[in-house]
Amino acid sequence: MATDKKPIILAVDDDPQVLSAVDRDLRREFRRDYRILRASSGDEALEIIRELHQRQEPLALILADQRMPGLEGVELLEQARALFPSTKRVLLTAYADTTAAIRAINNAHLDYYLLKPWDPPEELLYPSLRDLLAAWQATYRPRFEGLRLIGFQWSPLSHELKDFLAGYMVPFQWLDYENNPEAEALLAGTEYTAAELPVVVFEDGTAMARPERAAIATKIGLASKAAQELYDVVVVGAGPAGLAAAVYGASEGLKTLVIERQAPGGQAGTSSRIENYLGFPTGLSGAELTHRAWMQATRLGAELLAPQEVQEMCIQDGYYKVLTLTDGSEIRTRAVVLTTGVSYRQLQVPGMDRLNGAGIYYGAARTEARSCEQRDVYIVGGGNSAGQAAMYLATYARHVYILIRGESLAASMSAYLIEQIGNTPNITIMPYTQVQEVRGDGHLEEVVINNNGQVEAREAQALFIFIGTKPSTEWVQASVICDPKGFLLTGRDLVADPRYPQAWKHNREPYLLETCVPGVFAAGDARTGAMARVASAVGEGSMAIKFVHQYLDE
């Protein structure tokens, strides 16, 4: 149950006059920062404490009288400690009860005791309570108010859900069931068991076990159904190129829809730091850049469907493009911009399939970095994505090893990253090195490497893989022409490449970013000849909208 209420001070006394005086003095001094509750008996106070514990509300201090019928003050403080071990406990006593106070110090870990009367409170009450409350605040961590994910660290599905939530910049708290006592207590408040993990607990208290991404998307307010019957342009893919196309399309008055199958940002969205993007001299994370672009596109009127996937495209009446989604629904549009991006190639060595998502990750440095604290991790690949991941992981891991097949990083990584890596003492580059095998029982434990002919098994907490990419164009290759590697052919390549005679069969010249289907354009990394840079992808996405306008004006 979410709460934005202040921490609580609980006053307990069976004498109405004394309780009223305590309540008055406490409110006078502490009501701005604390809620003051009162109870007229130990049993009533215990019920209040149990209710606060159930509602997970913060109890800062208990001030309890010793001599009460039924449950006495010392007994109350002893039982309260079991539910709120960090709460400060103060016994209110008469001079004759100092023995009870000493017993409470030993048995109930009493923090302080006060003698009646405490007048004037400015001298005999407030200074002691202020010190105790300051000590409590120093260690108090407010309860997280948002989505919480309970799971096992080495569960591939837990990893997928973490990546999904992080991709949409949904604030969430990760609770490892095996190592976090709070996870067990939170799970006990749902209808699920540990056998059904991972479990997502939403801010409103509802929970889902092993949920599909679409179910989470609906719960957090993402749209999965198109709002219009016909669009001017549909952008397939929400990486930098797709988001740029969405911003320019929407800002120029086109009915614009973006469809994303995973999370906005593409590969750039997973980058921990982009330092060579124009206008950001101190750099920014891929997630931050993505979030800004996404907000900008939706503010200007673009729609976003996610997570949703296109599985087929066909032409209707020689003009309209009909996109069929995996849920069977169809979307009609006058023009399409394909910004499907690329995906990381899989490393094919023994053990990979079994441990994927359980210590072996493809471009997932941000969501798993904290689990690598003070451990050795390995990165395979020498491009900018690998370098950015290495720099980010180095702030958590004991040591980061970058494995590359060649002699150095110079041919594949930007100079600024190479310099940063060289100045980071807990990053080591291992040239002429490849992964030969991965091992582990339920999760990655060892990486077997071949270093220039010498085979060695090394202990490893995590292995991050960045070994090149392939275009995500499988679904569209039946409709448009791609090169042998699957990249989309556009513009002059359709008429100048002798390998594809008759690729363009129309009277006019194709526009610069147009595919073999008039009105279907491609931008970003999935296009033949793309530069694989964020800035160039953004440029191509915005250029594509210029050509969409020209096509629609024909």
Side-chain angles (χ1 to χ4, degrees), residues 36-313:
I36 313 300
L37 301 183
R38 53 197 288 181
S40 58
S41 71
D43 291 322
E44 181 187 350
L46 191 57
E47 283 301 311
I48 293 174
I49 291 168
R50 287 170 176 162
E51 184 179 350
L52 294 175
H53 181 263
Q54 185 177 6
R55 287 157 44 187
Q56 300 187 34
E57 296 199 46
L59 180 58
L61 184 142
I62 305 172
L63 178 59
D65 183 43
Q66 166 56 17
R67 292 193 177 184
M68 295 185 291
L71 196 64
E72 290 190 334
V74 171
E75 296 174 87
L76 171 64
L77 296 178
E78 287 178 357
Q79 295 190 41
R81 182 170 177 265
L83 297 176
F84 287 96
S86 63
T87 293
K88 297 303 178 182
R89 293 168 293 279
V90 179
L91 194 67
L92 192 60
T93 72
Y95 181 77
D97 293 327
T98 53
T99 302
I102 294 171
R103 190 170 80 247
I105 291 173
N106 295 328
N107 298 339
H109 291 257
L110 185 71
D111 293 292
Y112 203 77
Y113 71 90
L114 291 168
L115 294 175
K116 302 178 186 178
W118 58 86
D119 192 55
E122 290 78 9
E123 297 179 15
L124 302 178
L125 180 67
Y126 297 153
S128 300
L129 297 190
R130 282 195 211 103
D131 289 345
L132 291 170
L133 290 170
W136 180 83
Q137 287 282 6
T139 59
Y140 169 60
R141 298 293 179 268
R143 176 174 173 255
F144 180 80
E145 302 294 344
L147 185 150
R148 286 169 289 176
L149 174 60
I150 311 168
F152 297 108
Q153 175 60 43
W154 305 117
S155 161
L157 182 54
S158 293
H159 166 68
E160 289 178 19
L161 293 176
K162 283 190 281 185
D163 254 12
F164 174 75
L165 294 168
Y168 284 94
M169 297 195 76
V170 177
F172 72 97
Q173 181 183 35
W174 161 248
L175 300 172
D176 183 355
Y177 186 79
E178 293 180 308
N179 297 310
N180 192 325
E182 186 183 347
E184 186 174 355
L186 182 61
L187 184 64
T190 72
E191 60 185 298
Y192 303 112
T193 67
E196 298 170 282
L197 292 176
V199 168
V200 176
V201 181
F202 296 94
E203 188 172 357
D204 63 5
T206 60
M208 294 181 185
R210 306 181 69 84
E212 297 287 337
R213 292 182 305 162
I216 298 177
T218 300
K219 184 72 177 179
I220 64 177
L222 297 177
S224 59
K225 300 292 182 183
Q228 307 282 339
E229 292 185 1
L230 177 65
Y231 291 88
D232 294 319
V233 60
V234 171
V235 181
V236 184
L243 290 171
V247 166
Y248 279 87
S251 68
E252 294 172 14
L254 298 178
K255 289 183 180 179
T256 305
L257 175 70
V258 184
I259 304 174
E260 172 55 47
R261 66 175 182 173
Q262 293 180 335
Q267 285 193 322
T270 66
S271 295
S272 55
R273 202 77 186 160
I274 301 172
E275 298 194 53
N276 57 358
Y277 189 65
L278 184 67
F280 294 90
T282 60
L284 77 170
S285 70
E288 184 183 359
L289 177 63
T290 297
H291 185 67
R292 292 181 182 211
W294 181 15
M295 291 296 101
Q296 188 177 15
T298 54
R299 181 181 65 83
L300 292 169
E303 289 180 45
L304 175 68
L305 296 190
Q308 190 60 271
E309 187 172 358
V310 182
Q311 65 177 14
E312 186 182 357
M313 179 178 71

Side-chain angles (χ1 to χ4, degrees), residues 468-489:
T469 57
K470 61 177 181 177
S472 302
T473 57
E474 298 85 352
W475 65 273
V476 79
Q477 290 182 17
S479 305
V480 300
I481 295 176
C482 299
D483 69 13
K485 295 182 178 180
F487 292 93
L488 297 159
L489 262 66

